[in-house]
Amino acid sequence: MRTSTRVALGLVLPLLVPSLAHAQAFPTLSATAPQGGQRGTTVSIAFTGDRLAGASALVFDGSGLSATITGHTGQKMATFSGAGVSGDIPDAGRLAAEIAIAEDAAVGVRFVRVSTPEGVSNALPFVVGDFPEVPETEPNNAADAAQEVWLPVTVTGTVTSVDDEDYYHFAATAGQRILCAAATTQTGSPLDAYLRLLDPDGKEVSTPGAGSSSIDHTITVDGTYTLAIRE
């Protein structure tokens, strides 16, 4: 659940041209998907950025994480036709990797960088968690089309617009305490998440305060509950 904005300012002066050209040669990362994983598992990650060609390693802060680069995942940049002619031109803006998270890796936000022949990229957050992780499955933009999940769980997804509200439903029993939180600040997302919890009859039973992205609610009736998240 994230959006990103990049702004570049520059001056065209002869004395600055060499240093600008040198600065632009370094690789950059703009996004990762997903943005984390459960410890004790191996996660397939897609990186988006610039100048990622020839990447040789991923660099993490702390211990307990290791990675294998599996290749570029960009779209085709050329189409070949004719008998015996086929292939893709690699996209230096996309990279795929497998990240192994040790069972004893510390839970919390870590940072990852990509190392290439042109240098080391900027850092992006990578969250190590305790819960199983599942990706958002569209369409889930209405209560009657909610994605089913099983607690405990971490869902990784995207809120694409101000009118996009995503729904997830799960079974809960009376007396069970439900804690829901949107990890936006930790992952660098500008999303100001708003959460709603609906009971089995569709009635809103727990609403966070203005600007809050968490819910703490104790279930009173057995049934299927629905969590909604939006901007």
Side-chain angles (χ1 to χ4, degrees):
M1 290 170 254
R2 62 187 186 279
T3 57
S4 60
T5 302
R6 299 180 62 189
V7 179
L9 300 176
L11 297 175
V12 182
L13 295 175
L15 292 177
L16 295 181
V17 170
S19 62
L20 284 175
H22 177 72
Q24 292 172 352
F26 287 100
T28 58
L29 287 178
S30 56
T32 63
Q35 291 180 298
Q38 181 187 16
R39 57 181 178 175
T41 67
T42 298
V43 185
S44 297
I45 302 289
F47 293 89
T48 303
D50 190 27
R51 297 182 179 273
L52 303 180
S56 58
L58 299 184
V59 181
F60 300 95
D61 65 330
S63 60
L65 299 178
S66 60
T68 301
I69 294 175
T70 56
H72 293 286
T73 59
Q75 298 177 346
K76 290 183 178 180
M77 298 179 64
T79 301
F80 299 91
S81 61
V85 181
S86 63
D88 299 340
I89 295 177
D91 182 353
R94 297 175 185 267
L95 187 70
E98 298 286 325
I99 297 180
I101 308 171
E103 291 185 359
D104 60 354
V107 172
V109 180
R110 312 287 277 279
F111 289 90
V112 57
R113 297 171 173 84
V114 174
S115 177
T116 79
E118 295 184 304
V120 178
S121 75
N122 58 301
L124 287 183
F126 182 86
V127 183
V128 176
D130 265 330
F131 299 153
E133 303 215 2
V134 298
E136 175 189 4
T137 301
E138 295 279 5
N140 63 338
N141 304 118
D144 59 1
Q147 178 179 343
E148 185 175 11
V149 296
W150 291 265
L151 305 184
V153 68
T154 296
V155 180
T156 58
T158 304
V159 173
T160 58
S161 63
V162 294
D163 59 352
D164 178 19
E165 186 167 33
D166 296 328
Y167 292 81
Y168 304 90
H169 65 223
F170 55 88
T173 57
Q176 186 176 5
R177 183 183 180 189
I178 302 297
L179 301 174
C180 306
T184 53
T185 302
Q186 298 95 318
T187 57
S189 170
L191 179 69
D192 183 11
Y194 183 82
L195 303 180
R196 299 189 299 132
L197 183 64
L198 311 178
D199 70 10
D201 295 323
K203 178 183 177 182
E204 192 168 332
V205 293
S206 181
T207 304
S212 176
S213 58
S214 63
I215 285 177
D216 183 347
H217 181 74
T218 300
I219 300 298
T220 57
V221 178
D222 294 358
T224 299
Y225 287 74
T226 303
L227 178 71
I229 178 171
R230 62 177 173 83
E231 173 73 32

